[in-house]
Amino acid sequence: MPNPLLKPSVLPYQWPDFANITAEDYLQAVRAGAEEHLGQIAAIVADSAPADFENTFLALERSGQLLRRTLMAYFSVLSAHGTEELRAIQSELSGIMSAQSDEIQLNPDLYARLSGVDLGTLQGEDARLAGETLKSFELAGARLDAQAKEELKTLNARLSQLSTEFSSKALENQNAHAVYFAEAQELEGLEPARLDSARAAAAAAGHETGFLLPLVSPTGQPVLASLARSESRRKVFEASLSRGLGENSTLPLAAEMAAVRADRAALLGFANHAETVLADATAPSTQAVATRLKELTLAAVRNADAEAETLRELAGGQLNAWDWSYYSNQVLRERYAVDSAALRPYFELDSVLHQGVFATAGKLYGLSFAERFDLPTYHPQVRVWEVSDADGSALGLYSGDFLARGTKKGGAWMTSLRDAASDLGERPIVTNTLNIAAPGEGQPILLTLDETNTLFHEFGHALHGLLSNGKYATLSGTSVPRDFVEFPSQVNEMWVLHPEVVGDYAKHYQSGEALAEQTIKKIRAAELWGQGFATTEYLAASVLDWAWHTIAPGTRIADPEQFERETLTNFGFTPELIPPRYRTAYFQHIFANGYSAGYYSYIWSEVLDADTVQWFEENGGLMRENGMRFREELLARGNTRDPLESYEMFRGRSARVEPLLRRRGLVNAE
């Protein structure tokens, strides 16, 4: 049958016809789309009329739609359901993307037309599009001479290849390091539903008996809080920590990628790769980021040291890294009467989603959600909802893919299949992907409190895409600086335990009994417990990212493990007790997913987030009036104006750091 990707989909909202798209279709459409796109660029360059906004900037913005819609679909599916067929074409597609970007952004005639337009005549979103487009060309090397451009193309192609290899190997290693246990006694402490899930995972992997615990992406595995036997915890912990270090190692790929990025930065006129990233970010300088990381690390490590002393008392003297989560959960149970495992029956997925996440969006923004069963999906577990605005008008589609499987990379994320872009007549299609352990047959999908928080977080990204209200796809939704993009999603986490939200969704999946108000109060009282550990493991990963991407051009790291160890210990961390949230060998954020020199952005954005939460609290909390202010000044704006300007328009001033310090327990502020 004809390739469904070669023409815009006729399905609602241009939803891709996933049921009929093959790997070969993606490849064919990308090849055709790349050729078509270059032809459109050639036409812009050849235009005999004087360059202006419409025939140059707007023509560029509208070009390449076949390639764009194909790549949006392909990479959304690849990360969530990366079958062998899809992974087999990834290298070629990534290579085409890299070459395409270079052919366009390093085209001297195109850049000459763009830079020849008088931007002083433009206003509003037109001015923003032109300014951001010129900046992207210049950061991509448009000003370089011909020889330097050829060198840059070679470096870009190598980076594309290395990133693809890293992503593929990281997924293989995560699956290969799933931990097998022969006897149920070894999994003492796990509730029956988790045992059923582990038994099903073992059977799916080809084991006749026994139990298999698949790994999630971060170093810390959720089961470590429940496993009663230290030896079992050690087995899981060491499996997680050793990914990518031995056979099928990713370390050489990471080290080379960091080196190539540094060389690329030098070619572009920067001191290191981090400087190139900050040229399109809200952080003012590499020194400002390093200073903030150091300040936060000193306070976080102090808190973590105090927590460790408490845990050593429980452990009887010696505290192993793999025992931290288990004894920390004991503190929650004994000091705060909070048991993480015992909470899971109150966080059933559909209840969290409908009565929690969706209902909150309804109260704040007037949104409603109706599940659709008529749209073909790339996997049977994928679900789709149509989103309507307060006046009943159609807004877009929201897709959820929540369960872990072997073809899915670790972690949780949001992607877009379509953008909110009135110039293209597009309405948004946004996706959330999580890695919740699949339950045993006939069992409910129960979330931990952390997973519940993650769902609210990722839906915050989805709202940023759904509620965008601009003309141009390039400026739509989450197309904002990396150190701003996490801000709206972090704000959405504030509703997880909000009094007007939690009572509606946190109900026991069997009895329907609501999570006791006293328990919620205890959870809130316990929020500062463990912040030392959580902040330290996050900051350790941020420092590791920063170290890899502030190396000088020409630097080659011969021993990545030693580099990692020395980086962390010299900064004041104790990695043998609190390892970074991601080690180099499986740090997909920075070596596969576009967060290089950007992992600091979570804490950077959290300054805005904590200050915004304080504003909501001061102004009545969960009210439509508050939600609409946040929607109109921030979520709807995307990158149509400077995001920090949007923040100040919303807040009435620039952000202050004190609310974040109080939240994290890093100061004794009143």
Side-chain angles (χ1 to χ4, degrees), residues 365-658:
Y365 311 115
L367 307 185
S368 58
F369 300 80
E371 190 161 7
R372 297 192 63 149
F373 302 95
D374 58 324
L375 299 176
T377 59
Y378 57 82
H379 192 278
Q381 293 173 341
V382 177
R383 301 166 67 183
V384 184
W385 289 264
E386 186 167 18
V387 187
S388 299
D389 215 336
D391 61 1
S393 61
L395 192 62
L397 294 176
Y398 169 74
S399 172
D401 184 356
F402 304 115
L403 299 182
R405 55 179 171 267
T407 54
K408 184 186 288 187
K409 73 177 185 180
W413 60 92
M414 170 266 192
T415 57
S416 295
L417 292 168
R418 293 289 179 272
D419 293 309
S422 61
D423 181 64
L424 296 174
E426 278 189 14
R427 288 180 290 181
I429 302 176
V430 300
T431 74
N432 277 165
T433 308
L434 277 70
N435 269 281
I436 301 165
E441 187 175 353
Q443 296 296 315
I445 303 171
L446 303 179
L447 282 61
T448 64
L449 182 56
D450 281 347
E451 289 168 336
T452 300
N453 200 72
T454 297
L455 182 52
F456 272 83
H457 174 100
E458 295 304 333
F459 191 75
H461 285 305
L463 288 169
H464 204 180
L466 284 167
L467 299 179
S468 186
N469 186 25
K471 289 192 287 187
Y472 304 122
T474 297
L475 305 177
S476 181
T478 58
S479 299
V480 294
R482 178 61 67 193
D483 56 4
F484 189 87
V485 73
E486 295 298 333
F487 158 55
S489 56
Q490 289 169 328
V491 169
N492 206 54
E493 296 175 31
M494 75 172 289
W495 308 113
V496 174
L497 292 177
H498 191 277
E500 295 179 61
V501 176
V502 66
D504 291 332
Y505 79 85
K507 298 181 179 180
H508 197 284
Y509 77 96
Q510 290 175 314
S511 68
E513 176 189 10
L515 187 63
E517 185 176 341
Q518 189 63 28
T519 301
I520 297 169
K521 289 180 179 178
K522 290 173 181 175
I523 294 171
R524 287 196 168 279
E527 284 180 343
L528 282 182
W529 169 256
Q531 280 296 329
F533 175 89
T535 309
T536 297
E537 69 159 3
Y538 161 74
L539 289 171
S542 299
V543 166
L544 190 57
D545 170 31
W546 206 244
W548 276 115
H549 294 115
T550 50
I551 61 173
T555 303
R556 298 295 183 267
I557 305 299
D559 188 340
E561 281 194 85
Q562 181 182 351
F563 176 81
E564 176 181 296
R565 183 168 54 253
E566 290 180 352
T567 294
L568 296 174
T569 54
N570 291 342
F571 213 81
F573 297 106
T574 309
E576 60 270 17
L577 185 59
I578 304 179
R581 182 168 175 80
Y582 298 97
R583 294 191 70 187
T584 300
Y586 47 90
F587 206 162
Q588 293 204 67
H589 281 77
I590 66 171
F591 293 118
N593 295 339
Y595 268 75
S596 59
Y599 199 63
Y600 78 92
S601 62
Y602 288 91
I603 201 89
W604 199 268
S605 296
E606 198 177 347
V607 173
L608 305 177
D609 154 36
D611 198 44
T612 298
V613 169
Q614 179 174 293
W615 179 88
F616 270 99
E617 292 170 345
E618 291 170 350
N619 289 276
L622 190 69
M623 296 169 53
R624 177 69 60 82
E625 179 183 354
N626 291 341
M628 294 307 292
R629 179 179 176 89
F630 190 62
R631 173 178 178 171
E632 291 164 7
E633 295 293 354
L634 263 160
L635 298 176
R637 295 287 179 171
N639 200 23
T640 59
R641 65 184 179 195
D642 185 327
L644 289 183
E645 180 185 344
S646 292
Y647 183 82
E648 291 177 9
M649 292 295 290
F650 159 71
R651 190 67 170 95
R653 58 166 173 76
S654 58
R656 296 171 182 165
V657 73
E658 289 78 14

Side-chain angles (χ1 to χ4, degrees), residues 49-91:
D52 59 23
F53 176 78
E54 185 168 344
N55 69 18
T56 307
F57 283 100
L58 192 53
L60 176 63
E61 173 71 9
R62 292 172 175 172
S63 68
Q65 292 308 310
L66 169 57
L67 182 62
R68 171 176 166 264
R69 67 173 178 263
T70 301
L71 290 174
M72 290 175 83
Y74 171 75
F75 282 104
S76 289
V77 177
L78 177 70
S79 58
H81 189 45
T83 62
E84 290 185 14
E85 293 79 8
L86 291 182
R87 289 166 59 197
I89 64 171
Q90 182 183 1
S91 181

